[in-house]
Amino acid sequence: MKAKTKVRELTGYLKELQDAVGDKLRVELPDRLLFRYDALLQGEVPLAVVMAETTEDVARTLKICDHHDLPVIPRGGASGLSGGVVPVKPSVVISTTRMKGLKIDREGMTATVQPGVINQELQDALKPFGLYYPPDPQSGRQATIGGNIGENAGGPMCLKKGVTGDYVLELEFVTMQGDVYRMDRSGVDLPGLLIGSEGTLAFVTEAKLRLAVLPRYTQTARAIFNTLEDAGKAVALITARGLTPAKLELMDRASINAVEDAFSLGLPREAEAVLVCDTDGNDLQEVLAEIQAVKQAFDDAGATSSQIAQNEKEAEALWKARKSISPSLGRIRPQRMNEDIVVPRSKLPVVMREIRALGDASPFPLAIFGHAGDGNLHPNIMYSKQTDSWDEVDHLAHEIARVAIKYGGVLSGEHGIGLAKKPFMLEATPRPTLEAYWAVKKTLDPKNLMNPGKVLPELASN
């Protein structure tokens, strides 16, 4: 005879949540432990977890939490690198991983998705229709569309195609009070406020997204540079000549050597930088002409070598080094602090020099790579939780952020502010702007219960 499972008797707010969402509620410690972290940090063990499937599940949960003054953490794939879904106080986590609804309007070139759809799942569903969703964060195989909206995620293609906010047509969202709204971007753009707000204003439960037609042709080129200045000059020349590649990615010497140590791809270890570029479109002659123009810009800027892939296999080989950086760095130290600064393209060489100097003076290996076309750099600090000081890691990250601010840059291009960069906001953002952010927050979430402790630093008057 099969033994009966002992059912825990719940009381108070847990009983109310159980009555509202049934067996979608998780209250046992082993279940809750899984929801205290993202890809960078870990925090408080949540009080409970709701595996939401519908907008109604979210609305009921939020209403109960608001009544009991319980903080709520919206959580998707937890691939974030800023502590954005890490609870900083006892909270209820609402997971979107079961919110997988997806409808494609081929004629209208739109997709209506629930927040738990993974970016790659959407791309796979669109491909048979000859369509795609351009925002393509590197974590696309894990990151959810809800998370992409929360972070206003970009990716390698954002140079030409734009970021998440450029493709959101409508949002359905639930306020902390449990009220459900659906709005498009016409008139007062309230959905625009939610995009990039990192789940601190309201809970997104559905999005209507604009799609694009897959380009028929793609060409790839790669160049090697002996100095960062020459690589930076190449990026500036490409822009100045009116070229708009689909992707333009950069890796520094530390990244090159990490990849060589791990995979032996034949990259020149002495090189200071590698640039890899794609052009795409539906007119083959235009795409070919553009990649030739990119190669000319590489050469004019002083590349020691440059090449254009002659077929798809060669193109994959040229991109392999760039795509191998993350697994290569993981062999050096088990943890990485992945910075996400954006600086003017003209400042790329001096910014990279100063960041390299900071890394050399620190106890940590540091590699720099990123989306050079839009000035989005990812300096990666490699460390071990077991042997290294988090305070020292955080200090180095703060110094890197100061370099970005010094040269007119910003703290985040696509990973968000979250918990890790919140203290930097006091230096990067004028106080009147922070006060305006807080005013919006207090209007939509007067009790500060929606993903509290993220993005916005406390101000003296708050």
Side-chain angles (χ1 to χ4, degrees):
M1 180 181 294
K2 188 175 180 180
K4 288 185 178 179
T5 302
K6 186 177 180 180
V7 178
R8 179 178 166 189
E9 292 291 336
L10 301 180
T11 59
Y13 68 86
L14 290 178
K15 179 66 166 62
E16 291 181 40
L17 288 172
Q18 186 180 52
D19 291 342
V21 301
D23 63 3
K24 300 166 194 169
L25 180 68
R26 300 286 182 270
V27 296
E28 301 303 330
L29 181 60
D31 292 329
R32 291 184 285 127
L33 284 172
L34 299 174
F35 293 86
R36 66 184 301 199
Y37 63 85
D38 70 355
L40 177 68
L41 300 172
Q42 69 176 28
E44 295 278 340
V45 178
L47 300 167
V49 178
V50 173
M51 306 297 294
E53 296 178 5
T54 66
T55 299
E56 289 72 25
D57 291 338
V58 174
R60 290 170 186 156
T61 301
L62 289 176
K63 199 164 189 175
I64 292 168
C65 290
D66 184 61
H67 177 73
H68 291 280
D69 293 340
L70 293 169
V72 170
I73 310 295
R75 178 187 163 109
S79 60
L81 293 161
S82 62
V85 298
V86 171
V88 295
K89 57 178 72 174
S91 310
V92 173
V93 170
I94 303 179
S95 171
T96 65
T97 55
R98 292 184 178 180
M99 300 183 77
K100 293 285 194 180
L102 167 59
K103 295 178 184 176
I104 298 169
D105 178 355
R106 182 179 183 180
E107 301 301 321
M109 292 181 56
T110 64
T112 301
V113 302
Q114 285 187 300
V117 173
I118 292 173
N119 186 295
Q120 188 62 49
E121 292 175 339
L122 175 59
Q123 309 291 6
D124 292 342
L126 295 173
K127 196 169 183 179
F129 301 106
L131 301 172
Y132 76 119
Y133 175 62
D136 62 334
Q138 293 288 345
S139 57
R141 292 187 178 279
Q142 183 183 354
T144 61
I145 295 299
N148 292 173
I149 292 170
E151 304 290 350
N152 196 18
M157 285 194 287
C158 71
L159 168 62
K160 182 175 183 178
K161 313 292 184 181
V163 296
T164 296
D166 298 311
Y167 292 88
V168 174
L169 300 173
E170 296 177 11
L171 285 183
E172 179 190 80
F173 59 92
V174 187
T175 64
M176 192 64 216
Q177 299 76 34
D179 300 321
V180 181
Y181 296 90
R182 189 176 191 93
M183 295 184 182
D184 61 24
R185 309 287 301 274
S186 61
V188 178
D189 186 12
L190 186 55
L193 272 179
L194 304 186
I195 298 164
S197 67
E198 305 187 31
T200 60
L201 299 179
F203 197 117
V204 172
T205 49
E206 192 169 273
K208 184 176 183 180
L209 306 174
R210 182 168 63 89
L211 307 175
V213 177
L214 278 168
R216 294 177 63 189
Y217 304 105
T218 299
Q219 292 289 307
T220 300
R222 187 180 75 183
I224 311 294
F225 297 89
N226 276 345
T227 70
L228 289 173
E229 284 74 13
D230 288 345
K233 192 188 303 180
V235 175
L237 275 179
I238 287 169
T239 305
R241 292 176 180 179
L243 305 172
T244 310
K247 303 175 184 175
L248 181 56
E249 299 287 296
L250 177 146
M251 48 196 295
D252 76 341
R253 178 184 285 185
S255 304
I256 293 167
N257 280 286
V259 170
E260 276 305 292
D261 289 343
F263 299 107
S264 301
L265 299 182
L267 298 172
R269 288 181 177 273
E270 70 282 2
E272 281 287 345
V274 168
L275 287 174
V276 190
C277 179
D278 268 359
T279 60
D280 67 7
N282 294 323
D283 184 314
L284 179 58
Q285 294 309 311
E286 287 183 4
V287 176
L288 288 170
E290 190 169 33
I291 201 68
Q292 287 289 351
V294 167
K295 182 179 185 303
Q296 189 62 53
F298 286 160
D299 295 339
D300 291 346
T304 56
S305 69
S306 64
Q307 64 183 113
I308 296 174
Q310 298 304 305
N311 52 52
E312 192 171 330
K313 186 176 180 181
E314 285 189 17
E316 288 179 5
L318 294 185
W319 274 108
K320 188 172 183 180
R322 172 63 183 88
K323 293 178 179 177
S324 300
I325 294 175
S326 290
S328 301
L329 298 181
R331 291 162 54 98
I332 298 173
R333 297 274 176 94
Q335 276 79 42
R336 289 188 293 142
M337 173 70 169
N338 189 342
E339 269 286 1
D340 178 36
I341 59 174
V342 182
V343 298
R345 286 184 289 257
S346 62
K347 303 297 183 185
L348 281 171
V350 64
V351 167
M352 292 180 68
R353 287 279 180 218
E354 292 198 16
I355 293 174
R356 166 54 49 207
L358 289 171
D360 291 346
S362 80
F364 307 109
L366 183 142
I368 308 171
F369 58 94
H371 319 307
D374 62 348
N376 186 193
L377 294 177
H378 296 309
N380 271 230
I381 306 165
M382 286 154 276
Y383 67 101
S384 167
K385 286 182 179 177
Q386 282 68 44
T387 58
D388 295 320
S389 161
W390 170 252
D391 288 342
E392 287 188 277
V393 174
D394 188 56
H395 175 74
L396 178 55
H398 203 153
E399 291 302 307
I400 290 170
R402 284 182 172 134
V403 173
I405 296 168
K406 174 181 169 184
Y407 289 101
V410 296
L411 296 177
S412 177
E414 55 186 355
H415 295 169
I417 301 300
L419 191 59
K421 294 182 183 175
K422 188 180 73 169
F424 309 169
M425 289 285 281
L426 290 170
E427 297 174 48
T429 310
R431 184 180 173 99
T433 303
L434 291 173
E435 289 175 345
Y437 289 163
W438 270 111
V440 173
K441 168 77 170 168
K442 288 178 178 178
T443 299
L444 290 172
D445 179 23
K447 297 181 182 177
N448 191 22
L449 297 176
M450 187 68 80
N451 203 10
K454 315 295 166 49
V455 185
L456 296 177
E458 295 293 333
L459 302 177
S461 60
N462 286 305

